[in-house]
């Protein structure tokens, strides 16, 4: 399936329910913005030098979502994650990322924004704290459980606020002064 860009263009907000494979070809950017984008177990593929960008509107990534390719899948606005997802190239860059039993499998780069809700880094998987902007866990209902590895590769701070909690059950490695 090929998409150019998906943007809200007035009237009621449109919805794209993906169960297939949108792909950004090498060296190009595909933006899902201003719409209600729902990924229902589909594969989101960014080839080398490419980006799939989730910007504005609503982005929901449901159980079974696959983030693949040598490029990057970058979330730059609010998004929700429900159930297990697998990532080779997901970057959480800006916005509030709401977890509803979200289970991270693979590698995810956290460069900025807010983790809210319930999240688990599965055994053998990695959450990278990477350079970008401030990172937050926020809200009394926010619980992040690390059963894999958190690799903090950034001098950016990670703030726990509003009663949020982080449970480290495996490895937290600080690879930078923070």
């Amino acid at each position: 399936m090929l998409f150019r860009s998906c943007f809200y263009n007035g009237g009621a907000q449109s919805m794209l329910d993906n169960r297939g494979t949108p792909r950004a070809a090498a060296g190009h950017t595909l933006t899902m913005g201003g719409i209600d984008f729902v990924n229902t177990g589909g594969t989101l593929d960014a080839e080398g030098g490419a980006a799939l960008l989730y910007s504005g509107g609503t982005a929901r990534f449901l159980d079974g979502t696959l983030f693949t390719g040598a490029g990057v899948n970058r979330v730059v606005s609010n998004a929700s994650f429900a159930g297990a997802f697998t990532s080779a190239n997901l970057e959480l860059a800006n916005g509030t990322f709401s977890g509803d039993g979200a289970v991270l499998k693979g590698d995810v780069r956290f460069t900025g924004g807010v983790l809210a809700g319930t999240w688990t880094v599965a055994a053998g998987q990695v959450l990278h704290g990477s350079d970008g902007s401030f990172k937050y866990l926020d809200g009394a209902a926010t619980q992040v459980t690390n059963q894999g590895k958190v690799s903090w590769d950034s001098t950016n701070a990670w703030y726990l606020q509003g009663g949020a909690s982080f449970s480290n059950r495996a490895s937290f490695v600080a690879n930078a002064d923070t």
Side-chain angles (χ1 to χ4, degrees):
M1 179 181 276
L2 288 176
F3 297 97
R4 283 251 324 132
S5 292
C6 297
F7 281 97
Y8 173 65
N9 197 22
Q13 188 176 38
S14 298
M15 178 182 163
L16 172 60
D17 179 9
N18 179 61
R19 295 165 193 258
T21 305
R23 177 174 291 120
H28 297 282
T29 299
L30 168 59
T31 301
M32 305 288 185
I35 60 172
D36 182 10
F37 177 75
V38 181
N39 193 72
T40 309
T43 299
L44 305 167
D45 186 51
E47 294 180 347
L52 273 161
L53 185 66
Y54 309 93
S55 171
T58 305
R60 294 181 280 163
F61 304 100
L62 305 181
D63 191 54
T65 294
L66 299 173
F67 297 96
T68 65
V72 64
N73 276 278
R74 183 176 293 125
V75 184
V76 296
S77 63
N78 299 343
S80 63
F81 295 79
F85 63 91
T86 303
S87 167
N89 63 357
L90 176 62
E91 178 185 348
L92 302 174
N94 189 35
T96 297
F97 313 113
S98 301
D100 181 8
V103 179
L104 179 160
K105 295 180 178 180
D107 283 3
V108 172
R109 286 184 339 131
F110 182 30
T111 61
V114 178
L115 291 180
T118 56
W119 291 81
T120 299
V121 178
Q125 313 309 305
V126 183
L127 174 64
H128 298 273
S130 300
D131 283 339
S133 63
F134 295 120
K135 296 148 193 67
Y136 301 88
L137 297 184
D138 190 25
T142 297
Q143 169 68 48
V144 176
T145 302
N146 176 32
Q147 297 175 345
K149 179 179 181 181
V150 173
S151 179
W152 205 259
D153 308 320
S154 173
T155 58
N156 298 136
W158 192 8
Y159 296 97
L160 277 70
Q161 59 189 30
S165 65
F166 175 78
S167 297
N168 187 42
R169 306 276 190 256
S171 176
F172 185 101
V173 179
N175 293 310
D177 293 337
T178 188

